[in-house]
Amino acid sequence: MNLILLGPPGAGKGTQATRLEHAYEIAQLSTGEMLRAEVSAGSEIGKKADGLMKAGQLVPDEMIIGIIGGRLDRDDCRNGFILDGFPRTVPQAAALDVMLDEKHLRMDHVMSIEVDDEAMVKRITGRFSCAKCGAGYHEEFQKPKVDGVCDACGSTEFSRRADDNAETVRERLKAYHAQTAPIIDYYDSRGLLRRVDGMEPIDNVTSQLKAAID
Ligand code: ADP
Ligand code: AMP
């Protein structure tokens, strides 16, 4: 089964993709994570992406299409995959259609997680993750069970993303509305789109997604 999770930054795509990855044994493919790995590695792609990401702008379509194309062929995608953060523009959605055709694959569901802009700012500015295993948390909505200790691996070190600050969030929301929101219609007109209420608590959003998938 192949899925796309759509939604503005902070909607809960990564949180939900991790849960669906385990529930359906399919691979979570986050283009934001892939780019952050390139930045950490200091690669040519990372050097080009870093400034754009810090400014809250999208990286060029060709760059991201190149990265995702090869990733779909990896072994962990044989049961399917969840795209988290891709596609983010209409040309990326069109390129994905071509890629899927060439690989004789199809998209089963496109889930749009709907939230309002003010909730997103709060979610993004309160987001942090375990520096060791990457498990995601929120200062208010998803605290570790024991303060300062990762539920998943017991580490006591946490980190925040360089682009998760109030100023960059505004730019990311602008980019979302101008460049990404139009792909909702792209998939709706193809009959693939399912909408879920992302303002609900995390568990309820998972239930809505599973109900739509099943
Ligand atoms: P995205 O991948 O769409 O950018 P995340 O999954 O990283 O978003 O979620 C952003 C932040 O909001 C995280 O800190 C997460 O713990 C929190 N969060 C996710 N879903 C919800 C929800 N339904 N209600 C409240 N907080 C949420
Ligand atoms: P995310 O982790 O999904 O919030 O993405 C973080 C940043 O990576 C975005 O603000 C963009 O700069 C960049 N990025 C991630 N995915 C894409 C994409 N599909 N197209 C363009 N830029 C992307």
Side-chain angles (χ1 to χ4, degrees), residues 8-10 13 30-33 35-36 49-50 52-61 64-65 84-89 92 124 127 161 163-164 168 172 175 180:
K13 301 180 296 297
S30 157
T31 45
E33 285 298 324
L35 289 169
R36 283 187 285 280
D50 193 27
L52 291 166
M53 292 169 78
K54 284 195 179 122
Q57 291 166 12
L58 299 184
V59 307
D61 288 335
I64 208 79
I65 291 164
D84 156 15
F86 177 88
R88 244 174 164 107
T89 63
Q92 290 181 21
I124 290 177
R127 169 163 61 186
R161 282 170 44 175
D163 58 347
D164 276 354
T168 308
R172 287 158 66 195
T180 308

Side-chain angles (χ1 to χ4, degrees), residues 6-20:
L6 286 183
K13 301 180 296 297
T15 304
Q16 299 299 334
T18 303
R19 290 170 166 221
L20 298 178

Side-chain angles (χ1 to χ4, degrees), residues 1-3 20-29 71-83 100 104-109 213:
M1 177 173 64
N2 303 320
L3 307 175
L20 298 178
E21 174 179 43
H22 293 117
Y24 296 98
E25 296 185 350
I26 54 182
Q28 172 183 0
L29 305 182
R71 188 62 187 81
L72 297 182
D73 297 328
R74 299 250 285 264
D75 217 33
D76 61 346
C77 293
R78 66 188 176 283
N79 282 342
F81 49 81
I82 309 162
L83 295 174
L100 293 175
H104 307 291
L105 296 172
R106 71 187 171 106
M107 195 46 69
D108 296 294
H109 305 283
I213 292 168

